[in-house]
Amino acid sequence: MSEDCNGERTLNSKVQRLVDEWMELDKNPVTRKEIQKLASQGEVSRLEQCLGSRMTFGTAGLRAKMAAGYTFMNELTIIQTSQGLCKYLQAAGENGYERRRILIGFDARHNSLRFAQLSTSIFINGGFEVFLFSKPTPTPFVAYGVRKLGCVCGVMITASHNPKEYNGYKVFWSNGAQIIPPHDKGIAEAIEQNLVPWPKSWDTSVVVGGSEEGSAAVDPLPEVWESYCSDLLLSCYRRQENPSTPLRFTYTPMHGVGAEAMTDAFRMFGLPAFTPVPEQIEPDPEFPTVKFPNPEEGKSALELAMRSADAVGSTVILANDPDADRLAIAEKNPSTGRWRVFSGNEIGSLMGWWAFENYRRAHPDYDGLWLKWKDSNFRRH
């Protein structure tokens, strides 16, 4: 780095090329200004950090802080990612996979809606029938909706339980599960081959209704929500007993999108309504009451929920992370007054036991031999 005759700092040729490339590709005024400011201040190391490499696309998709540069989540990297995924899915269709539908969802974080609209526009212009949820929804609705709607793929814009500065791009395959190899590698290669925004990639008028025909995306939320709740009842074994349960629940979505779905779940199961944690019940991308909104962190993340539960006499706490694909459970010991936060393994074991217990109740002649064989086979391996 050096200074010109006017005292302005100049960059070395490699970094200057990276800056020029970014300014040519990016049309977002905020992120353009970020890069311009770093360049004018001669921040070589920071420019190399944000422009010298790219986020790595893997089985979990992408997740990073929101800022300018190829190593961060922003409108340009969203466009590049969606273009790559679009091309990969087009190639899959040419190889005999004929579905041309995709489902896109988003959480309540900063920029999630905008990222979802940009992605939707790219897939529409790529010849796909696109389903776009009309409001922030839980991640499981995307995984479920992919199969319900017969989609080749689903995209969820979310950073799950990460701090407020983050966002992400999660991809589900046609089976409703997150992608596995070799899809992750194939998508990553397609992204690298489609880094220059296509002519219409910045134009979201086909999504937000700016065109004469209105939005070209279809909102599947009513259909998916109704079907999801209906299928949820398949896991409700003793509904007639639920209204009279003495248990009282307190629930927190950690400033995320889970409250409406959890309310419907309680109603479908016939359970008494839960008591919400009022400070955390509404979506808020700032996460003002918790720095790291991961309920699996234990008591440190559930302090506010515990205080709320104590105030109303609840003995069970249910907590989702902001995109509602993680669940934490805590129970109050009536003897000691202390809260016990269950581990993921404990929750899974309890759910497995409950499912098997009710299967045995519905099939009294079942002798359990299959389970014993599976258990012994597992132990040998």
PDB file of all heavy atoms in Angstrom, residues 366-378:
ATOM      1  N   TYR A 366     -48.023 -57.935  20.399  1.00  0.00           N
ATOM      2  CA  TYR A 366     -46.643 -57.758  19.972  1.00  0.00           C
ATOM      3  C   TYR A 366     -45.699 -58.247  21.063  1.00  0.00           C
ATOM      4  O   TYR A 366     -45.800 -57.846  22.229  1.00  0.00           O
ATOM      5  CB  TYR A 366     -46.381 -56.280  19.659  1.00  0.00           C
ATOM      6  CG  TYR A 366     -44.949 -55.972  19.310  1.00  0.00           C
ATOM      7  CD1 TYR A 366     -44.375 -56.486  18.159  1.00  0.00           C
ATOM      8  CD2 TYR A 366     -44.176 -55.161  20.136  1.00  0.00           C
ATOM      9  CE1 TYR A 366     -43.056 -56.200  17.828  1.00  0.00           C
ATOM     10  CE2 TYR A 366     -42.868 -54.861  19.809  1.00  0.00           C
ATOM     11  CZ  TYR A 366     -42.311 -55.393  18.666  1.00  0.00           C
ATOM     12  OH  TYR A 366     -41.011 -55.101  18.346  1.00  0.00           O
ATOM     13  N   ASP A 367     -44.746 -59.128  20.726  1.00  0.00           N
ATOM     14  CA  ASP A 367     -43.865 -59.722  21.742  1.00  0.00           C
ATOM     15  C   ASP A 367     -42.513 -59.032  21.848  1.00  0.00           C
ATOM     16  O   ASP A 367     -41.677 -59.415  22.677  1.00  0.00           O
ATOM     17  CB  ASP A 367     -43.651 -61.209  21.456  1.00  0.00           C
ATOM     18  CG  ASP A 367     -43.025 -61.460  20.085  1.00  0.00           C
ATOM     19  OD1 ASP A 367     -42.587 -60.485  19.447  1.00  0.00           O
ATOM     20  OD2 ASP A 367     -42.968 -62.630  19.666  1.00  0.00           O
ATOM     21  N   GLY A 368     -42.271 -58.050  21.017  1.00  0.00           N
ATOM     22  CA  GLY A 368     -41.034 -57.288  21.133  1.00  0.00           C
ATOM     23  C   GLY A 368     -39.809 -57.973  20.577  1.00  0.00           C
ATOM     24  O   GLY A 368     -38.690 -57.497  20.764  1.00  0.00           O
ATOM     25  N   LEU A 369     -39.970 -59.113  19.874  1.00  0.00           N
ATOM     26  CA  LEU A 369     -38.806 -59.844  19.382  1.00  0.00           C
ATOM     27  C   LEU A 369     -38.004 -59.026  18.387  1.00  0.00           C
ATOM     28  O   LEU A 369     -36.772 -59.066  18.384  1.00  0.00           O
ATOM     29  CB  LEU A 369     -39.253 -61.170  18.744  1.00  0.00           C
ATOM     30  CG  LEU A 369     -39.752 -62.244  19.710  1.00  0.00           C
ATOM     31  CD1 LEU A 369     -40.235 -63.454  18.926  1.00  0.00           C
ATOM     32  CD2 LEU A 369     -38.647 -62.651  20.672  1.00  0.00           C
ATOM     33  N   TRP A 370     -38.696 -58.281  17.523  1.00  0.00           N
ATOM     34  CA  TRP A 370     -37.976 -57.482  16.528  1.00  0.00           C
ATOM     35  C   TRP A 370     -37.087 -56.456  17.199  1.00  0.00           C
ATOM     36  O   TRP A 370     -35.927 -56.278  16.838  1.00  0.00           O
ATOM     37  CB  TRP A 370     -38.978 -56.789  15.606  1.00  0.00           C
ATOM     38  CG  TRP A 370     -38.324 -55.973  14.534  1.00  0.00           C
ATOM     39  CD1 TRP A 370     -37.832 -56.405  13.349  1.00  0.00           C
ATOM     40  CD2 TRP A 370     -38.048 -54.568  14.577  1.00  0.00           C
ATOM     41  NE1 TRP A 370     -37.283 -55.381  12.637  1.00  0.00           N
ATOM     42  CE2 TRP A 370     -37.393 -54.229  13.361  1.00  0.00           C
ATOM     43  CE3 TRP A 370     -38.290 -53.565  15.516  1.00  0.00           C
ATOM     44  CZ2 TRP A 370     -36.987 -52.945  13.073  1.00  0.00           C
ATOM     45  CZ3 TRP A 370     -37.889 -52.274  15.227  1.00  0.00           C
ATOM     46  CH2 TRP A 370     -37.244 -51.973  14.018  1.00  0.00           C
ATOM     47  N   LEU A 371     -37.627 -55.783  18.230  1.00  0.00           N
ATOM     48  CA  LEU A 371     -36.839 -54.775  18.929  1.00  0.00           C
ATOM     49  C   LEU A 371     -35.650 -55.426  19.630  1.00  0.00           C
ATOM     50  O   LEU A 371     -34.544 -54.909  19.622  1.00  0.00           O
ATOM     51  CB  LEU A 371     -37.704 -54.023  19.940  1.00  0.00           C
ATOM     52  CG  LEU A 371     -36.996 -52.902  20.709  1.00  0.00           C
ATOM     53  CD1 LEU A 371     -36.556 -51.806  19.755  1.00  0.00           C
ATOM     54  CD2 LEU A 371     -37.898 -52.331  21.787  1.00  0.00           C
ATOM     55  N   LYS A 372     -35.876 -56.629  20.238  1.00  0.00           N
ATOM     56  CA  LYS A 372     -34.767 -57.299  20.907  1.00  0.00           C
ATOM     57  C   LYS A 372     -33.682 -57.675  19.912  1.00  0.00           C
ATOM     58  O   LYS A 372     -32.490 -57.561  20.181  1.00  0.00           O
ATOM     59  CB  LYS A 372     -35.294 -58.547  21.623  1.00  0.00           C
ATOM     60  CG  LYS A 372     -36.197 -58.235  22.811  1.00  0.00           C
ATOM     61  CD  LYS A 372     -36.756 -59.505  23.409  1.00  0.00           C
ATOM     62  CE  LYS A 372     -37.717 -59.191  24.558  1.00  0.00           C
ATOM     63  NZ  LYS A 372     -38.332 -60.422  25.115  1.00  0.00           N
ATOM     64  N   TRP A 373     -34.095 -58.119  18.704  1.00  0.00           N
ATOM     65  CA  TRP A 373     -33.113 -58.462  17.685  1.00  0.00           C
ATOM     66  C   TRP A 373     -32.335 -57.233  17.249  1.00  0.00           C
ATOM     67  O   TRP A 373     -31.111 -57.264  17.124  1.00  0.00           O
ATOM     68  CB  TRP A 373     -33.820 -59.080  16.474  1.00  0.00           C
ATOM     69  CG  TRP A 373     -32.852 -59.406  15.369  1.00  0.00           C
ATOM     70  CD1 TRP A 373     -32.098 -60.535  15.229  1.00  0.00           C
ATOM     71  CD2 TRP A 373     -32.522 -58.557  14.255  1.00  0.00           C
ATOM     72  NE1 TRP A 373     -31.322 -60.455  14.097  1.00  0.00           N
ATOM     73  CE2 TRP A 373     -31.558 -59.250  13.477  1.00  0.00           C
ATOM     74  CE3 TRP A 373     -32.955 -57.300  13.839  1.00  0.00           C
ATOM     75  CZ2 TRP A 373     -31.010 -58.722  12.322  1.00  0.00           C
ATOM     76  CZ3 TRP A 373     -32.418 -56.767  12.690  1.00  0.00           C
ATOM     77  CH2 TRP A 373     -31.452 -57.472  11.938  1.00  0.00           C
ATOM     78  N   LYS A 374     -33.036 -56.136  17.056  1.00  0.00           N
ATOM     79  CA  LYS A 374     -32.363 -54.905  16.649  1.00  0.00           C
ATOM     80  C   LYS A 374     -31.395 -54.437  17.728  1.00  0.00           C
ATOM     81  O   LYS A 374     -30.291 -54.014  17.443  1.00  0.00           O
ATOM     82  CB  LYS A 374     -33.392 -53.799  16.375  1.00  0.00           C
ATOM     83  CG  LYS A 374     -34.232 -54.011  15.127  1.00  0.00           C
ATOM     84  CD  LYS A 374     -33.415 -53.846  13.862  1.00  0.00           C
ATOM     85  CE  LYS A 374     -33.106 -52.382  13.593  1.00  0.00           C
ATOM     86  NZ  LYS A 374     -32.394 -52.188  12.315  1.00  0.00           N
ATOM     87  N   ASP A 375     -31.822 -54.559  18.985  1.00  0.00           N
ATOM     88  CA  ASP A 375     -30.978 -54.116  20.087  1.00  0.00           C
ATOM     89  C   ASP A 375     -29.708 -54.974  20.171  1.00  0.00           C
ATOM     90  O   ASP A 375     -28.605 -54.457  20.297  1.00  0.00           O
ATOM     91  CB  ASP A 375     -31.751 -54.180  21.400  1.00  0.00           C
ATOM     92  CG  ASP A 375     -30.897 -53.736  22.584  1.00  0.00           C
ATOM     93  OD1 ASP A 375     -30.478 -52.569  22.580  1.00  0.00           O
ATOM     94  OD2 ASP A 375     -30.646 -54.563  23.485  1.00  0.00           O
ATOM     95  N   SER A 376     -29.855 -56.278  20.078  1.00  0.00           N
ATOM     96  CA  SER A 376     -28.703 -57.160  20.166  1.00  0.00           C
ATOM     97  C   SER A 376     -27.775 -56.963  18.961  1.00  0.00           C
ATOM     98  O   SER A 376     -26.555 -57.007  19.078  1.00  0.00           O
ATOM     99  CB  SER A 376     -29.133 -58.614  20.256  1.00  0.00           C
ATOM    100  OG  SER A 376     -29.838 -59.002  19.090  1.00  0.00           O
ATOM    101  N   ASN A 377     -28.355 -56.734  17.787  1.00  0.00           N
ATOM    102  CA  ASN A 377     -27.570 -56.503  16.589  1.00  0.00           C
ATOM    103  C   ASN A 377     -26.781 -55.202  16.710  1.00  0.00           C
ATOM    104  O   ASN A 377     -25.614 -55.112  16.309  1.00  0.00           O
ATOM    105  CB  ASN A 377     -28.471 -56.448  15.365  1.00  0.00           C
ATOM    106  CG  ASN A 377     -27.686 -56.471  14.061  1.00  0.00           C
ATOM    107  OD1 ASN A 377     -26.882 -57.374  13.838  1.00  0.00           O
ATOM    108  ND2 ASN A 377     -27.904 -55.486  13.210  1.00  0.00           N
ATOM    109  N   PHE A 378     -27.421 -54.177  17.292  1.00  0.00           N
ATOM    110  CA  PHE A 378     -26.750 -52.908  17.502  1.00  0.00           C
ATOM    111  C   PHE A 378     -25.591 -53.057  18.471  1.00  0.00           C
ATOM    112  O   PHE A 378     -24.502 -52.542  18.255  1.00  0.00           O
ATOM    113  CB  PHE A 378     -27.752 -51.874  18.036  1.00  0.00           C
ATOM    114  CG  PHE A 378     -27.126 -50.565  18.437  1.00  0.00           C
ATOM    115  CD1 PHE A 378     -26.746 -49.648  17.478  1.00  0.00           C
ATOM    116  CD2 PHE A 378     -26.888 -50.283  19.778  1.00  0.00           C
ATOM    117  CE1 PHE A 378     -26.154 -48.452  17.848  1.00  0.00           C
ATOM    118  CE2 PHE A 378     -26.301 -49.093  20.135  1.00  0.00           C
ATOM    119  CZ  PHE A 378     -25.927 -48.172  19.179  1.00  0.00           C
TER     120      PHE A 378
END
